[in-house]
Amino acid sequence: MKTQRILTFVLALAVFTLTLPATQAARVSTTFFLAQTPGYPESKLSFHGLIKPKVKNAVVRIDVQLNSGWTDTRLRTRSTASGAWKIQTNITALETKATYRARITVGSKSYTTKARSIRVKQVPQITAPEDLIALTGPGGRIHGTDVSRWQHPGDKPIDFVKMYNAGMRFVMIKASDTRDDADQLALKYLLMDRNAAQAAGLFTGYYHYTILPNTTNRDAVIRDAQAQAQKAIWRLSSLGGYTERDLPYALDLENSCVAANGSICTKRAPKKLVTLWAETWMETVYERTGRKPIFYSYPTFLEQSMVRSETLRQYPLWKAQYGIDPADPTAEPGRKIFGCFVHSWSTGNCSSLWQIWQYSSCGIGERYGVASSRVDLNVFRGDANSFLQLTRGVWSPQSGDYLPVNEPTTMLITSLKASSTDKNTSVKVEVRRPSNEPVVTGTVAFKLAENPAARVDQTPVRDAAGVWTLKLRNLPAGTITGNVIFVDQTGTHARSEQPITFTLTQGPEPTPKPSPTRRPVAPPVDTCKGQIQN
């Protein structure tokens, strides 16, 4: 395949402040980017930005400045539920300079960004879509990376143009997480990265980081997987769905620990239930979006923490294994020196049916336009045509696919165990949606009825989607009355609460623990030793 090297040109950022109608937030701001993007059959001019706070369905139009003044280009779009917007159009000129501005309409109000100019450059002609996918990775493979909050130290943006010019052609972006706090950080940087990466010429994929539920009930495992799949679908919907520049969503499943004491895992999910959870998540996302999601893990986990599954074998595998150099054209992940890794994607010759190989976590960030010192490196298995097969099918969300706002909830206290002041009081809580499915986001807390502002020593432990064990400590002896409250800081599900009353007897006073003996500090470990750092 003939490989073209394309230079991408990006213009600066414009920020402006809007004053919205009283029904909207008082003030919002938007970013405004322009970029010349590699495309077929001509290169593209990309306009994109992000409205904050997010405004759905704001109308965005682009004006161009000509000799006669400002003229409407008739380029239009609407902002997605996340407040993001993007417009792309073909460039048919070969060498020119142009000035543009964006006009944003919210309700009956319209606002205009500052004018920005871009110089369009003539680039080598692309004769087929495959020419967008250069074989610039080690071993003549398609090169890619994956990014998350760790590639944004100090909130610094990623220079995706530099990444593209360094040979990268795809980037997998962390888009969602089981934990609500980590999920909101993922959303923050997803909105920074997705349109910017696509405007620079990169294909973008997404991944969901998984914490498995602490339950051995099959039905609860299925409900949890469906709820976490719902979170991924809502996230994709907030972006406007899949485009022709998108790779599928991926499931990041690499840890079977469901209970821990500090850094020590005290309980792991059974292998059959780990596999059932993964099958359910993958099938749910596939059914709802029409694209097969990708499964991410590493060989030891696949072999030791899961059972073989013909269902999972039907999905693309993104496998992590470091210390093997993909510059060797015969190299691939998942090989043992002796014997085979046996898992769902294993073949009879000790190989495996992998699609993407994460071959290093120690790529030099600066080389790829990343502010962090390290970045993951990946290669794709196959040619440009097989890569483009993953982008087939443009999915647009329907009304029911969008994230609810303040959706009503129902709480049920399923058990309450209380005895004495020296032992934890344990409250089992379930919170459900109007459909009787478990809530997807949120947490629970206990407040004293007589003094709701008082601090209570407590820990909510997530057992599964919508199921928590609330552990209360250091309460006084006597009859305790209060309320268990469900709150969701994302605003997806509405608050609900249930009153509870229990009695504690006075337990023995705890014996003071001796001060721990200080242990010598171990020298730092070089986690990049033996890894590829190109």
Side-chain angles (χ1 to χ4, degrees):
M1 186 192 75
K2 181 180 178 182
T3 300
Q4 302 280 2
R5 181 160 180 85
I6 313 261
L7 295 178
T8 306
F9 303 90
V10 172
L11 198 71
L13 151 75
V15 179
F16 68 95
T17 300
L18 311 182
T19 304
L20 295 179
T23 56
Q24 303 281 349
R27 298 174 72 83
V28 302
S29 63
T30 187
T31 53
F32 176 38
F33 295 92
L34 299 94
Q36 183 174 347
T37 305
Y40 166 79
E42 294 119 348
S43 60
K44 312 282 186 181
L45 189 57
S46 298
F47 308 86
H48 66 95
L50 179 65
I51 301 172
K52 295 182 179 180
K54 58 187 178 184
V55 177
K56 182 181 177 182
N57 285 331
V59 177
V60 183
R61 58 184 285 180
I62 303 298
D63 295 337
V64 61
Q65 190 174 43
L66 304 174
N67 293 334
S68 57
W70 287 102
T71 300
D72 183 3
T73 63
R74 300 191 179 186
L75 295 173
R76 299 282 192 281
T77 193
R78 289 181 179 270
S79 59
T80 65
S82 64
W85 60 270
K86 181 178 71 174
I87 297 175
Q88 273 194 338
T89 187
N90 288 338
I91 296 174
T92 55
L94 299 180
E95 192 79 29
T96 189
K97 182 179 179 181
T99 301
Y100 295 94
R101 69 185 184 189
R103 278 196 282 167
I104 316 295
T105 301
V106 182
S108 60
K109 302 282 186 176
S110 292
Y111 312 90
T112 306
T113 66
K114 294 179 181 178
R116 297 294 177 181
S117 299
I118 185 170
R119 180 167 293 282
V120 174
K121 297 288 187 180
Q122 183 176 1
V123 296
Q125 185 177 3
I126 295 175
T127 58
E130 301 81 52
D131 292 341
L132 294 169
I133 318 297
L135 302 181
T136 50
R141 298 173 168 94
I142 299 167
H143 212 193
T145 185
D146 54 274
V147 298
S148 66
R149 57 179 288 196
W150 305 111
Q151 279 63 58
H152 291 276
D155 269 358
K156 294 179 181 178
I158 295 173
D159 185 347
F160 287 104
V161 176
K162 187 173 183 179
M163 183 180 287
Y164 181 92
N165 289 334
M168 293 291 184
R169 289 299 177 267
F170 68 94
V171 55
M172 304 296 290
I173 305 170
K174 182 177 180 180
S176 52
D177 193 297
T178 306
R179 303 156 295 183
D180 286 352
D181 53 350
D183 186 67
Q184 289 305 298
L185 277 174
L187 174 60
K188 173 183 176 179
Y189 295 110
L190 169 67
L191 295 178
M192 289 178 62
D193 293 343
R194 190 235 199 171
N195 284 342
Q198 291 189 4
L202 291 153
F203 289 79
T204 56
Y206 315 99
Y207 69 91
H208 174 83
Y209 184 82
T210 306
I211 305 293
L212 291 169
N214 184 7
T215 179
T216 56
N217 181 285
R218 281 180 57 88
D219 291 340
V221 167
I222 291 171
R223 287 195 299 268
D224 184 83
Q226 290 171 336
Q228 291 200 45
Q230 181 64 73
K231 179 179 277 191
I233 292 162
W234 281 341
R235 185 57 41 81
L236 185 60
S237 298
S238 75
L239 300 176
Y242 282 131
T243 72
E244 69 280 355
R245 281 278 182 175
D246 282 322
L247 301 171
Y249 225 110
L251 174 64
D252 180 349
L253 180 54
E254 52 185 288
N255 190 351
S256 63
C257 185
V258 295
N261 183 7
S263 60
I264 306 300
C265 183
T266 57
K267 182 181 179 183
R268 294 191 178 276
K271 296 166 68 171
K272 288 185 178 180
L273 294 184
V274 175
T275 307
L276 174 65
W277 194 101
E279 291 172 340
T280 304
W281 192 97
M282 302 290 280
E283 289 175 331
T284 303
V285 172
Y286 181 30
E287 289 170 2
R288 295 283 294 279
T289 66
R291 282 201 198 176
K292 284 189 175 182
I294 299 169
F295 188 87
Y296 170 89
S297 198
Y298 58 97
T300 305
F301 184 88
L302 294 173
E303 182 179 63
Q304 298 181 1
S305 299
M306 302 181 72
V307 297
R308 296 173 70 180
S309 164
E310 279 301 313
T311 298
L312 290 179
R313 189 181 179 91
Q314 308 308 311
Y315 294 93
L317 175 63
W318 175 13
K319 185 186 285 189
Q321 187 171 20
Y322 309 147
I324 302 174
D325 195 340
D328 174 3
T330 68
E332 65 172 332
R335 283 184 182 169
K336 290 182 178 179
I337 296 177
F338 298 104
C340 300
F341 285 106
V342 179
H343 53 74
S344 301
W345 289 269
S346 296
T347 62
N349 61 354
C350 287
S351 183
S352 61
L353 303 175
W354 61 274
Q355 195 73 68
I356 301 174
W357 172 14
Q358 186 185 78
Y359 68 89
S360 177
S361 66
C362 294
I364 300 170
E366 182 181 8
R367 176 175 179 180
Y368 299 104
V370 175
S372 61
S373 60
R374 293 165 51 173
V375 68
D376 293 340
L377 302 175
N378 298 271
V379 289
F380 178 81
R381 178 180 187 165
D383 59 14
N385 282 314
S386 57
F387 179 87
L388 289 172
Q389 284 298 317
L390 292 179
T391 70
R392 300 295 186 237
V394 176
W395 176 71
S396 297
Q398 304 300 312
S399 58
D401 296 318
Y402 288 109
L403 191 71
V405 177
N406 212 32
E407 180 183 68
T409 60
T410 303
M411 179 186 293
L412 179 66
I413 306 296
T414 59
S415 72
L416 173 59
K417 297 179 180 179
S419 57
S420 56
T421 57
D422 61 313
K423 297 179 180 178
N424 290 342
T425 295
S426 178
V427 187
K428 196 84 167 185
V429 185
E430 291 190 14
V431 185
R432 294 187 174 267
R433 304 172 59 195
S435 61
N436 205 37
E437 297 172 325
V439 293
V440 178
T441 52
T443 190
V444 294
F446 175 75
K447 292 186 179 294
L448 294 169
E450 60 185 17
N451 187 7
R455 293 179 66 101
V456 178
D457 187 355
Q458 59 185 299
T459 303
V461 178
R462 177 189 177 277
D463 298 323
V467 181
W468 291 268
T469 299
L470 186 58
K471 297 181 179 181
L472 311 178
R473 295 174 291 272
N474 300 321
L475 290 168
T479 299
I480 307 295
T481 301
N483 292 285
V484 177
I485 301 169
F486 169 75
V487 291
D488 183 4
Q489 293 184 345
T490 71
T492 303
H493 306 297
R495 173 188 171 114
S496 58
E497 61 183 83
Q498 284 286 343
I500 59 171
T501 300
F502 54 94
T503 301
L504 298 175
T505 60
Q506 180 62 51
E509 293 294 326
T511 304
K513 294 182 179 180
S515 300
T517 304
R518 286 193 174 185
R519 296 181 179 180
V521 178
V525 177
D526 181 8
T527 56
C528 285
K529 184 177 181 181
Q531 286 203 46
I532 312 301
Q533 300 185 46
N534 64 312

PDB file of all heavy atoms in Angstrom, residues 119-133:
ATOM      1  N   ARG A 119      -4.251  29.113   7.221  1.00  0.00           N
ATOM      2  CA  ARG A 119      -3.666  29.003   5.884  1.00  0.00           C
ATOM      3  C   ARG A 119      -3.781  27.556   5.435  1.00  0.00           C
ATOM      4  O   ARG A 119      -3.210  26.654   6.032  1.00  0.00           O
ATOM      5  CB  ARG A 119      -2.206  29.450   5.876  1.00  0.00           C
ATOM      6  CG  ARG A 119      -1.565  29.352   4.484  1.00  0.00           C
ATOM      7  CD  ARG A 119      -0.245  30.074   4.411  1.00  0.00           C
ATOM      8  NE  ARG A 119      -0.419  31.522   4.545  1.00  0.00           N
ATOM      9  CZ  ARG A 119      -0.832  32.330   3.571  1.00  0.00           C
ATOM     10  NH1 ARG A 119      -1.134  31.835   2.381  1.00  0.00           N
ATOM     11  NH2 ARG A 119      -0.936  33.623   3.783  1.00  0.00           N
ATOM     12  N   VAL A 120      -4.541  27.353   4.386  1.00  0.00           N
ATOM     13  CA  VAL A 120      -4.728  26.027   3.817  1.00  0.00           C
ATOM     14  C   VAL A 120      -3.524  25.698   2.945  1.00  0.00           C
ATOM     15  O   VAL A 120      -3.113  26.508   2.118  1.00  0.00           O
ATOM     16  CB  VAL A 120      -6.030  25.974   2.993  1.00  0.00           C
ATOM     17  CG1 VAL A 120      -6.151  24.642   2.282  1.00  0.00           C
ATOM     18  CG2 VAL A 120      -7.231  26.216   3.902  1.00  0.00           C
ATOM     19  N   LYS A 121      -2.955  24.518   3.142  1.00  0.00           N
ATOM     20  CA  LYS A 121      -1.773  24.093   2.394  1.00  0.00           C
ATOM     21  C   LYS A 121      -2.127  22.943   1.461  1.00  0.00           C
ATOM     22  O   LYS A 121      -2.955  22.087   1.790  1.00  0.00           O
ATOM     23  CB  LYS A 121      -0.672  23.633   3.358  1.00  0.00           C
ATOM     24  CG  LYS A 121      -0.149  24.731   4.279  1.00  0.00           C
ATOM     25  CD  LYS A 121       0.699  25.731   3.522  1.00  0.00           C
ATOM     26  CE  LYS A 121       1.346  26.728   4.471  1.00  0.00           C
ATOM     27  NZ  LYS A 121       2.175  27.708   3.742  1.00  0.00           N
ATOM     28  N   GLN A 122      -1.474  22.922   0.316  1.00  0.00           N
ATOM     29  CA  GLN A 122      -1.648  21.791  -0.586  1.00  0.00           C
ATOM     30  C   GLN A 122      -0.958  20.571   0.006  1.00  0.00           C
ATOM     31  O   GLN A 122       0.175  20.649   0.481  1.00  0.00           O
ATOM     32  CB  GLN A 122      -1.081  22.103  -1.969  1.00  0.00           C
ATOM     33  CG  GLN A 122      -1.295  20.974  -2.975  1.00  0.00           C
ATOM     34  CD  GLN A 122      -0.806  21.347  -4.364  1.00  0.00           C
ATOM     35  OE1 GLN A 122      -0.292  22.446  -4.568  1.00  0.00           O
ATOM     36  NE2 GLN A 122      -0.950  20.441  -5.305  1.00  0.00           N
ATOM     37  N   VAL A 123      -1.644  19.433   0.009  1.00  0.00           N
ATOM     38  CA  VAL A 123      -1.083  18.202   0.560  1.00  0.00           C
ATOM     39  C   VAL A 123      -1.137  17.119  -0.508  1.00  0.00           C
ATOM     40  O   VAL A 123      -1.881  17.232  -1.477  1.00  0.00           O
ATOM     41  CB  VAL A 123      -1.878  17.751   1.816  1.00  0.00           C
ATOM     42  CG1 VAL A 123      -1.748  18.771   2.931  1.00  0.00           C
ATOM     43  CG2 VAL A 123      -3.347  17.527   1.480  1.00  0.00           C
ATOM     44  N   PRO A 124      -0.326  16.054  -0.359  1.00  0.00           N
ATOM     45  CA  PRO A 124      -0.370  14.968  -1.339  1.00  0.00           C
ATOM     46  C   PRO A 124      -1.789  14.403  -1.468  1.00  0.00           C
ATOM     47  O   PRO A 124      -2.483  14.230  -0.475  1.00  0.00           O
ATOM     48  CB  PRO A 124       0.593  13.927  -0.761  1.00  0.00           C
ATOM     49  CG  PRO A 124       1.509  14.709   0.115  1.00  0.00           C
ATOM     50  CD  PRO A 124       0.697  15.827   0.671  1.00  0.00           C
ATOM     51  N   GLN A 125      -2.193  14.147  -2.686  1.00  0.00           N
ATOM     52  CA  GLN A 125      -3.550  13.659  -2.914  1.00  0.00           C
ATOM     53  C   GLN A 125      -3.714  12.237  -2.393  1.00  0.00           C
ATOM     54  O   GLN A 125      -2.857  11.385  -2.570  1.00  0.00           O
ATOM     55  CB  GLN A 125      -3.890  13.679  -4.406  1.00  0.00           C
ATOM     56  CG  GLN A 125      -5.351  13.292  -4.690  1.00  0.00           C
ATOM     57  CD  GLN A 125      -5.675  13.380  -6.169  1.00  0.00           C
ATOM     58  OE1 GLN A 125      -4.815  13.664  -6.982  1.00  0.00           O
ATOM     59  NE2 GLN A 125      -6.926  13.119  -6.506  1.00  0.00           N
ATOM     60  N   ILE A 126      -4.831  12.007  -1.734  1.00  0.00           N
ATOM     61  CA  ILE A 126      -5.170  10.682  -1.240  1.00  0.00           C
ATOM     62  C   ILE A 126      -6.112  10.039  -2.249  1.00  0.00           C
ATOM     63  O   ILE A 126      -7.160  10.600  -2.574  1.00  0.00           O
ATOM     64  CB  ILE A 126      -5.813  10.775   0.149  1.00  0.00           C
ATOM     65  CG1 ILE A 126      -4.789  11.308   1.157  1.00  0.00           C
ATOM     66  CG2 ILE A 126      -6.344   9.430   0.600  1.00  0.00           C
ATOM     67  CD1 ILE A 126      -5.347  11.546   2.539  1.00  0.00           C
ATOM     68  N   THR A 127      -5.752   8.872  -2.743  1.00  0.00           N
ATOM     69  CA  THR A 127      -6.539   8.241  -3.798  1.00  0.00           C
ATOM     70  C   THR A 127      -7.499   7.177  -3.288  1.00  0.00           C
ATOM     71  O   THR A 127      -8.345   6.699  -4.034  1.00  0.00           O
ATOM     72  CB  THR A 127      -5.602   7.602  -4.834  1.00  0.00           C
ATOM     73  OG1 THR A 127      -4.764   6.649  -4.168  1.00  0.00           O
ATOM     74  CG2 THR A 127      -4.720   8.673  -5.490  1.00  0.00           C
ATOM     75  N   ALA A 128      -7.368   6.801  -2.003  1.00  0.00           N
ATOM     76  CA  ALA A 128      -8.259   5.793  -1.418  1.00  0.00           C
ATOM     77  C   ALA A 128      -8.301   6.004   0.082  1.00  0.00           C
ATOM     78  O   ALA A 128      -7.341   6.504   0.672  1.00  0.00           O
ATOM     79  CB  ALA A 128      -7.754   4.384  -1.743  1.00  0.00           C
ATOM     80  N   PRO A 129      -9.389   5.632   0.731  1.00  0.00           N
ATOM     81  CA  PRO A 129      -9.466   5.807   2.189  1.00  0.00           C
ATOM     82  C   PRO A 129      -8.331   5.120   2.935  1.00  0.00           C
ATOM     83  O   PRO A 129      -7.895   5.597   3.982  1.00  0.00           O
ATOM     84  CB  PRO A 129     -10.818   5.177   2.545  1.00  0.00           C
ATOM     85  CG  PRO A 129     -11.615   5.216   1.293  1.00  0.00           C
ATOM     86  CD  PRO A 129     -10.628   5.066   0.182  1.00  0.00           C
ATOM     87  N   GLU A 130      -7.825   3.998   2.390  1.00  0.00           N
ATOM     88  CA  GLU A 130      -6.761   3.274   3.071  1.00  0.00           C
ATOM     89  C   GLU A 130      -5.490   4.116   3.218  1.00  0.00           C
ATOM     90  O   GLU A 130      -4.668   3.868   4.100  1.00  0.00           O
ATOM     91  CB  GLU A 130      -6.409   1.984   2.322  1.00  0.00           C
ATOM     92  CG  GLU A 130      -7.567   1.014   2.158  1.00  0.00           C
ATOM     93  CD  GLU A 130      -8.469   1.389   0.998  1.00  0.00           C
ATOM     94  OE1 GLU A 130      -7.976   1.584  -0.134  1.00  0.00           O
ATOM     95  OE2 GLU A 130      -9.685   1.513   1.246  1.00  0.00           O
ATOM     96  N   ASP A 131      -5.326   5.116   2.325  1.00  0.00           N
ATOM     97  CA  ASP A 131      -4.125   5.936   2.398  1.00  0.00           C
ATOM     98  C   ASP A 131      -4.099   6.827   3.638  1.00  0.00           C
ATOM     99  O   ASP A 131      -3.068   7.414   3.970  1.00  0.00           O
ATOM    100  CB  ASP A 131      -4.000   6.811   1.140  1.00  0.00           C
ATOM    101  CG  ASP A 131      -3.722   5.992  -0.111  1.00  0.00           C
ATOM    102  OD1 ASP A 131      -3.281   4.834   0.040  1.00  0.00           O
ATOM    103  OD2 ASP A 131      -3.947   6.489  -1.223  1.00  0.00           O
ATOM    104  N   LEU A 132      -5.238   6.936   4.326  1.00  0.00           N
ATOM    105  CA  LEU A 132      -5.266   7.679   5.581  1.00  0.00           C
ATOM    106  C   LEU A 132      -4.593   6.901   6.707  1.00  0.00           C
ATOM    107  O   LEU A 132      -4.278   7.465   7.756  1.00  0.00           O
ATOM    108  CB  LEU A 132      -6.716   7.976   5.990  1.00  0.00           C
ATOM    109  CG  LEU A 132      -7.516   8.916   5.089  1.00  0.00           C
ATOM    110  CD1 LEU A 132      -8.986   8.874   5.475  1.00  0.00           C
ATOM    111  CD2 LEU A 132      -6.978  10.330   5.205  1.00  0.00           C
ATOM    112  N   ILE A 133      -4.376   5.597   6.507  1.00  0.00           N
ATOM    113  CA  ILE A 133      -3.881   4.718   7.561  1.00  0.00           C
ATOM    114  C   ILE A 133      -2.458   4.304   7.228  1.00  0.00           C
ATOM    115  O   ILE A 133      -2.232   3.266   6.598  1.00  0.00           O
ATOM    116  CB  ILE A 133      -4.771   3.470   7.727  1.00  0.00           C
ATOM    117  CG1 ILE A 133      -6.254   3.841   7.652  1.00  0.00           C
ATOM    118  CG2 ILE A 133      -4.453   2.755   9.025  1.00  0.00           C
ATOM    119  CD1 ILE A 133      -6.710   4.751   8.755  1.00  0.00           C
TER     120      ILE A 133
END
